Structures are given as C-alpha cells and as structure tokens.
Amino acid sequence: MRKYGKRLLAGILAFTLAVGGAGCAKEETQVKKDLKSQIAQSAESLDTFYESQEKSVLLDESTLPAGDGTSDWTAVALTFSGKADSKVQAAYLNRLQKYVEKAYERGGGLSKVKATEYHRIALTMLALDGNPEKVKNASGKVIDLVADGTWNFTKGDPGIQGANGLCYALLMLDAGDYNNPKKPELRKKFITELLEYQKESGGFCIDNSLDPEVDITAMAVQALAPYYKEDKCKKEKLDAQKMKESIDAAVKWLAAQESDDAEFLYDNIASSESISQVILALCALERDPGKDETFTKKESTLLDALAKFRKEDGIYMHEKADEEGSAMATYQAMIALEAVQKLRTEKKWIFDFK
C-alpha cells in the first residue's frame, strides 16, 4: 500500500474509533467471513474434484491412497478447512497407519533416501489428531516416525535431500516440539546445516550447485521462523542476531523477486504455488499477508495475487493461462489461506500442534 493510502486508512480508523467501534468490528467480521467462505468453497470443490463415489474423497482408497503425497496434503487441507469431519479423519488416519505398517513390514521403513516421507506423514497424522511417535504395527511394536525421519534416518541426516529435507525435518520437529533427549543438539545441527544453503543474496537453494528459488526460500523461512525469537534461540544455543539477520535477508530476497502484480515466477511463469508458499512464510513470522506493506504492490496484496488463480468454483490453477484446475495448486492455496485464518483468529502458526 502506498504511503498516502496508509495515512488515509489511519484517518478513517481514527474517525471510526472516535464515533464508536461498531463499523470497524463489522468490517473485520466481514473480512473473516469472506476468507472463511473462500476456504469452504474450495474445500467443497476439492472434495468433489476427484469424482469419487464416496461421501468424502478421503474415504476412497482407490482414488486417494493414504501415504501418497497428493492424498496426504489433500487430507490436511480438508481437515484444516473443517470439511473432513471426525469420522472421515479417523478413517483416513486408520488407512495411513496401515500404510506405514505395511511399508515397515516390506522394507523396514518408509524410505531410505527420502526423509520427507516421514515428515509429511507425521504432519498429516498430527493434523488428523494422530500420534506419529506411536504407530503400532501388527506385532504390537511401536513405530516412531519422528525419530525415524530425523535422528534415526541414515546416520541422522535428513539433509541428504538437501535443503528440502532439512526444512521439513524442522517443520515436523517444531510442530510437536519433539526432541531427542540423548542428542538435544540435533535441532541446532539441522538449523546450522539449513543455513549453509543460503546464498549471499539471502535466497535459499535446494542444492548449493543451484541458484536460489522462491519456493525453497519461503519454505526455509517457515522452518526457521520459530528462531526469529530470542527465547527460542537461547534454548537451542543459537546466535539470535545471526538468526534474525538470516531470516530478514531471506524475506528481503523474496520481496525483491515479487513482480509488480504481487506475483512470483516459476520457470519464468507466474505460479500460484509460489505465492502460497510466500503467504505461509509470512504467516510463520506472524505477518499478515493481506496487510504486509513489504509485499503489497500497486495496492495488490499476496492474497489478491493468489485470487487471480482461483476459478469460479474455488479450484486453483498452477498458472493463470491454464484451462483446468489443479489439485496440488488448490490444496497449497487452501493451506495458505487456512494459515492466514489461523493467524488472524488464534494468533497461531498452522503447523503448531503443541
């Protein structure tokens, strides 16, 4: 928003407060209602997007097999939206637990090279009120996805997937405030390793042989956001000033990549998923993407930019030129909007399950 716009808005708010708060409360309620309505419409359309015959697509194993990336993130998005009721959540969670059991029976784990398989499924279980630390297999043995995706994973190094593995490891660990009591320094190790993927420009790359990218930088900000606070840095024995400077540099780099239309490019084309990830990054830092002036261009916010990718039925597209909607673009956009809603109503990060 331009400076004169800010002054005008300040004047309107001052006048409203002077004559009474009813108008302001009504306007704020309307904003919340509109966002909630958008999410509800997208949830309804996403649930029917797959053309399942079931009451909810999350009940249809043949259409959305539990343990698949698209299936799991769809389950998360529909759960956050309130579209998936407790019975649907429990049914999907049960199938997801069976998927984990079979994977362990078959190969001793979910993957030997992708730690993110553990992280995604753990986050999905948490969203569905499950416990990723206590998944029992057929013999009664307890499977701990948190440990197996971090300190037990290939010499305790989820970083074999580059920055991506470290981002998701940290998101998962902080989602439930998990720690290895025998190796409490591991969280600091993951943070330190992730910072090695930050370029001098401030952007993050998935691999140090590559240039920085918007999506991975936004994800890195989400993963590092808890350590923007001094008390968290003190707990993990991190340099608070260095952490703040690193995160600020990443946010500054992201802002520099934003177009005049408040969009971000992926392969030189505006991408809804990139916008969604930046929205999540700001929410993780407790900055409202619908009000943040740093990311407002020509009075268009990130929420305005994301809306351009939205079809009339609430489904989102990868690119504005696409004729068909995308499940991936939709669940990412939904999670981003749900994060904004969570920030505005509860002042909480969407992946905080503590």
Side-chain angles (χ1 to χ4, degrees), residues 52-54 57-66 71 95:
S52 171
Q53 298 301 311
E54 295 284 353
V57 71
L58 296 184
L59 298 173
D60 190 343
E61 176 67 17
S62 62
T63 302
L64 279 188
S71 303
R95 289 181 14 236

Side-chain angles (χ1 to χ4, degrees), residues 14 137 143 145 149 192 215 224 227 279 281 303-304 320 328 345:
N137 64 13
I143 296 170
L145 296 180
T192 303
D215 291 40
L224 297 173
Y227 309 96
I279 288 174
L303 300 187
D304 296 327
K320 286 180 287 186
M328 179 183 290
T345 58

Side-chain angles (χ1 to χ4, degrees), residues 81-129:
S81 73
K83 174 63 179 174
D85 61 30
S86 59
K87 290 183 179 179
V88 172
Q89 291 177 42
Y92 190 90
L93 179 61
N94 183 55
R95 289 181 14 236
L96 187 56
Q97 290 172 335
K98 288 181 179 178
Y99 169 83
V100 172
E101 292 169 14
K102 290 180 180 178
Y104 270 74
E105 289 173 7
R106 184 171 57 249
L110 298 179
S111 174
K112 294 181 180 179
V113 294
K114 293 183 179 180
T116 50
E117 290 293 299
Y118 295 88
H119 310 149
R120 183 193 71 248
I121 291 177
L123 287 170
T124 303
M125 286 186 171
L126 286 168
L128 299 175
D129 290 329

Side-chain angles (χ1 to χ4, degrees), residues 26-270:
K26 182 179 180 181
E27 181 180 355
E28 180 67 18
T29 300
Q30 187 63 40
V31 170
K32 290 179 181 178
K33 181 181 178 181
D34 288 346
L35 188 57
K36 190 173 182 180
S37 297
Q38 286 181 44
I39 294 169
Q41 184 195 28
S42 293
E44 190 69 39
S45 294
L46 182 61
D47 202 18
T48 58
F49 182 83
Y50 302 94
E51 300 181 357
S52 171
Q53 298 301 311
E54 295 284 353
K55 179 181 177 182
S56 170
V57 71
L58 296 184
L59 298 173
D60 190 343
E61 176 67 17
S62 62
T63 302
L64 279 188
D68 171 78
T70 294
S71 303
D72 291 348
W73 287 124
T74 298
V76 170
L78 292 179
T79 297
F80 283 155
S81 73
K83 174 63 179 174
D85 61 30
S86 59
K87 290 183 179 179
V88 172
Q89 291 177 42
Y92 190 90
L93 179 61
N94 183 55
R95 289 181 14 236
L96 187 56
Q97 290 172 335
K98 288 181 179 178
Y99 169 83
V100 172
E101 292 169 14
K102 290 180 180 178
Y104 270 74
E105 289 173 7
R106 184 171 57 249
L110 298 179
S111 174
K112 294 181 180 179
V113 294
K114 293 183 179 180
T116 50
E117 290 293 299
Y118 295 88
H119 310 149
R120 183 193 71 248
I121 291 177
L123 287 170
T124 303
M125 286 186 171
L126 286 168
L128 299 175
D129 290 329
N131 187 346
E133 287 187 297
K134 295 182 179 180
V135 182
K136 290 185 178 180
N137 64 13
S139 63
K141 182 179 179 181
V142 174
I143 296 170
D144 186 343
L145 296 180
V146 174
D148 290 351
T150 49
W151 49 83
N152 289 343
F153 182 78
T154 313
K155 299 180 181 179
D157 187 16
I160 65 170
Q161 273 185 280
N164 199 38
L166 294 164
C167 285
Y168 274 105
L170 288 168
L171 283 170
M172 180 193 67
L173 290 175
D174 284 315
D177 200 19
Y178 300 116
N179 241 324
N180 181 354
K182 296 181 180 179
K183 295 182 180 179
E185 73 283 355
L186 276 178
R187 189 185 254 97
K188 179 179 179 180
K189 176 179 179 289
F190 296 156
I191 293 169
T192 303
E193 286 184 13
L194 178 56
L195 290 174
E196 292 175 1
Y197 289 92
Q198 186 172 30
K199 302 289 189 177
E200 289 186 11
S201 63
F204 281 77
C205 55
I206 196 167
D207 182 286
N208 273 321
S209 65
L210 303 173
D211 293 329
E213 296 180 358
V214 169
D215 291 40
I216 197 67
T217 301
M219 285 176 55
V221 171
Q222 294 168 46
L224 297 173
Y227 309 96
Y228 198 74
K229 298 180 178 179
E230 192 171 342
D231 59 332
K232 288 284 290 185
C233 288
K234 186 177 181 180
K235 180 181 178 182
E236 301 300 331
K237 299 179 181 179
L238 292 163
D239 185 328
Q241 184 62 30
K242 180 182 178 182
M243 291 303 302
K244 187 176 186 302
E245 290 174 354
S246 295
I247 295 170
D248 284 341
V251 172
K252 184 177 180 180
W253 183 86
L254 285 172
Q257 310 312 306
E258 189 179 13
S259 73
D260 290 339
D261 297 319
E263 298 172 347
F264 294 90
L265 305 183
Y266 185 84
D267 286 341
N268 297 316
I269 300 174

Side-chain angles (χ1 to χ4, degrees), residues 277-291:
Q277 289 304 318
V278 177
I279 288 174
L280 282 164
L282 291 180
C283 288
L285 291 171
E286 300 178 4
R287 293 169 59 167
D288 190 325
K291 302 175 183 178

